[in-house]
Amino acid sequence: MLKSFILILFGVATSLLGCGNTNKTATPMVTVEASTNDNTEKRSISAELKANGHLPIEEQVALYLKLKEENPTAYNFDNEDELTMYGYGFLWNNQTNAALEIFKLIASQFPNSSNAYDSLGEAYMKKGNMELSLKNYEKSLAMNPDNFNAEDQIERIKFPNKKPITPQEKFVKVYSVEDYKADLDQLGHKLIEINPNALKFISKEDFWAIINQKKSLITPQTTYGQFIWHCSEIIASINCSHTTLGGFWQESEMLKDVSLIFPLQTRWVNDKLYVVDAMSNSDMVKPKDELLSINGITVSKLVNDIYKHIESQGYTETTKKHFFNNWSTELIPYALSFPKTYTITIKGNENPIILNKAKDFKAPYRDNSITPCEANLCLEFYDDTATALMTISSFNYYPWNNLQEFKDFIDSSFKKIETRNIENLIIDLRLNGGGSAESSIYLLKHLVKAPFKYFVNSMHSSEHEIHQPVSNTFKGNLYFMIDGNGKSTTGHFMALAKELSLGTIVGEELGSNQLCTAGQTVCRLKNTKLQYYVANTASRVAVKTLPDTTGVLPDIAVIQPIEDYLNNIDTVKNHTLKLTETK
């Protein structure tokens, strides 16, 4: 499936208008509840269909047509994207017949939509009807020649025995200098054409200077693996967390030759690079050893160079730090052009150490010092105090799908908090990559004391809505824990929390703020076929005092020392709990 509004990569879905994240959860286009002001918003037709999900799919389609005929202005019938996501909900749950009926409905209602026929092609393919699949993919491609997904599926159907190139083969493949340079030009033009804030954090002159500098590095021997590294710097230069190569999964998939991997797992803390896992070099290196150089390059210079290849929102560096720590075993080889051997120097040891090659590795590397909330939504109480900890690991809850699950959790949690007379509430938003505005707004309604506006500049349909707090809004002491992993909608939420002075913010700079350049258009370069994702819309929440250049900053900065990390001690959580004791 290729949609201008949705990314499906490694199980990831990212929306057109939602400020979603890149974890393995769908984040489709968002809709809103009925407005409380005079400009009543249209109701969500997909939510209406979902509410009648007990009906056979044929009756759901009939209901859609009946509602549209009787009251065409009551629902958002013009929202093709939301209806498409409703259909894909069936397809992802292996309810192919139901998905097919929804896609047929979309094609009938939006006959000029290339996406509609692309969806039909996918559904027919899943059913095994290659004739109708081919017919719909060909129609989609004719309507939109840039639909490379349809192009690929047509070739797959016509030549089923053709063996596709593997990521490992692509890694060493060499294209012509002309093809590489043409693709770099195409990349630059597409980024500016699609991303509404492409030149917000970099001048046009500096942007094209980077592209021309990368073109000057292309030689007849440049491999695709080296080319994708050039592209990553160009994409990262516009400083938009929603514009990406796909979270390093493409690059990682190509590195199946373990001998290329940097054979130490490291962690960048306070501008120092520490070993956290010696891997195949435990006889020479120990955890907590501080690296000073790798292959003659100081670690500070090496990390700064790698940072240029990691996307972030604005000039936020905490996001880059977490990304580096997750992928350092593979980022370092890319930055050093895949050397045959690695030589390091360690603080306190003047003699260089030639490392053994890696035998295996972990990527991305998981931070075990923070206990994850596996259900994304968790609530726990500290029995000896009047303190509760609410973990919101994701805002990926949408009206078309599972928003009610989020609302039920929030409602039941605050009832328990009220029953227990909780005085201190800690809300943990670390690792939260974002999601829907609806879930963020619903949580805010339980925390604010007065009506509030959420969006001020957005394509979102609730831009003009004034939101009312619930009657039993929390009246105790609030604390928020944040980190550089907090992206997208999490930035919207925390920017409002800071603007409204809802509580004390603890941790490090958030990976996002009040500005969300969101959604993703899936693109592919003509010659090398490199796939990338470009933010295609922007939204801003009602915040006046915070800068766009940085993430939301904590009131109390807490950085986890390497000793706590190695001992799986949650430094930020412990510090926040101590703050509640002083209250």
Side-chain angles (χ1 to χ4, degrees), residues 193-207:
E193 173 190 330
I194 298 171
N195 191 312
N197 286 325
L199 300 178
K200 180 177 177 63
F201 300 106
I202 187 173
S203 70
K204 185 176 182 180
E205 294 73 21
D206 288 345
F207 175 73

Side-chain angles (χ1 to χ4, degrees), residues 424-427 477-481 503-504 576 579-580 583:
N424 304 302
L425 174 60
I426 303 170
I427 299 180
N477 304 309
L478 271 173
Y479 302 85
F480 301 94
M481 298 192 295
T504 303
T576 308
L579 290 175
T580 66
K583 284 288 185 180

Side-chain angles (χ1 to χ4, degrees), residues 332-568:
I332 291 172
Y334 271 98
L336 295 176
S337 297
F338 312 102
K340 294 183 178 179
T341 59
Y342 292 98
T343 302
I344 64 169
T345 57
I346 293 178
K347 186 176 182 179
N349 185 352
E350 298 180 356
N351 299 319
I353 299 173
I354 301 176
L355 297 176
N356 301 319
K357 292 185 181 299
K359 296 178 181 177
D360 55 26
F361 68 103
K362 305 170 185 176
Y365 198 79
R366 181 173 177 173
D367 184 350
N368 292 318
S369 64
I370 299 178
T371 302
C373 168
E374 297 297 344
N376 286 331
L377 305 173
C378 296
L379 179 68
E380 58 182 299
F381 297 95
Y382 295 88
D383 292 335
D384 56 338
T385 67
T387 298
L389 172 62
M390 179 185 291
T391 302
I392 309 290
S393 297
S394 174
F395 284 120
N396 270 331
Y397 298 88
Y398 290 83
W400 71 277
N401 184 31
N402 56 354
L403 180 60
Q404 193 59 48
E405 177 185 341
F406 185 86
K407 289 183 173 182
D408 290 343
F409 169 79
I410 295 299
D411 289 341
S412 64
S413 294
F414 279 97
K415 284 182 180 178
K416 294 174 184 177
I417 288 169
E418 184 178 24
T419 300
R420 288 174 174 255
N421 296 317
I422 293 299
E423 299 175 4
N424 304 302
L425 174 60
I426 303 170
I427 299 180
D428 188 355
L429 292 166
R430 294 174 298 172
L431 306 176
N432 188 328
S436 79
E438 284 76 16
S439 52
S440 171
I441 291 168
Y442 199 73
L443 178 55
L444 282 169
K445 287 180 177 181
H446 289 74
L447 305 176
V448 300
K449 305 298 189 292
F452 65 98
K453 192 172 185 179
Y454 193 79
F455 285 117
V456 291
N457 181 16
S458 171
M459 291 176 65
H460 198 286
S461 57
S462 68
E463 179 178 345
H464 303 291
E465 186 171 357
I466 302 299
H467 302 279
Q468 303 293 331
V470 298
S471 58
N472 60 334
T473 182
F474 181 70
K475 298 178 177 59
N477 304 309
L478 271 173
Y479 302 85
F480 301 94
M481 298 192 295
I482 63 172
D483 67 5
N485 293 300
K487 299 179 182 178
S488 203
T489 294
T490 308
H492 281 171
F493 177 88
M494 283 308 308
L496 283 165
K498 190 173 183 72
E499 179 89 349
L500 298 172
S501 301
L502 295 184
T504 303
I505 305 172
V506 186
E508 63 183 12
E509 180 184 12
L510 192 70
S512 53
N513 56 23
Q514 65 278 359
L515 173 67
C516 177
T517 305
Q520 288 182 321
T521 295
V522 189
C523 302
R524 189 168 76 178
L525 298 180
K526 178 180 178 181
N527 300 305
T528 59
K529 309 298 183 186
L530 182 144
Q531 193 163 303
Y532 59 104
Y533 314 90
V534 187
N536 53 27
T537 191
S539 56
R540 179 186 293 274
V541 291
V543 168
K544 298 179 180 179
T545 62
L546 305 181
D548 292 342
T549 52
T550 68
V552 176
L553 298 176
D555 300 312
I556 301 175
V558 178
I559 299 176
Q560 182 186 49
I562 189 63
E563 292 85 358
D564 282 5
Y565 174 80
L566 291 172
N567 289 296
N568 291 331

Side-chain angles (χ1 to χ4, degrees), residues 155-211:
E155 184 174 4
R156 176 184 173 188
I157 294 169
K158 288 184 174 180
F159 306 100
N161 295 323
K162 183 178 180 180
K163 185 179 179 182
I165 186 171
T166 67
Q168 296 74 46
E169 293 170 336
K170 187 85 179 264
F171 178 68
V172 296
K173 184 176 174 61
V174 175
Y175 294 83
S176 72
V177 173
E178 293 75 18
D179 284 349
Y180 281 133
K181 290 184 176 180
D183 277 5
L184 289 175
D185 282 334
Q186 181 188 351
L187 175 62
H189 286 296
K190 280 294 183 182
L191 290 173
I192 293 177
E193 173 190 330
I194 298 171
N195 191 312
N197 286 325
L199 300 178
K200 180 177 177 63
F201 300 106
I202 187 173
S203 70
K204 185 176 182 180
E205 294 73 21
D206 288 345
F207 175 73
W208 283 105
I210 293 174
I211 292 177

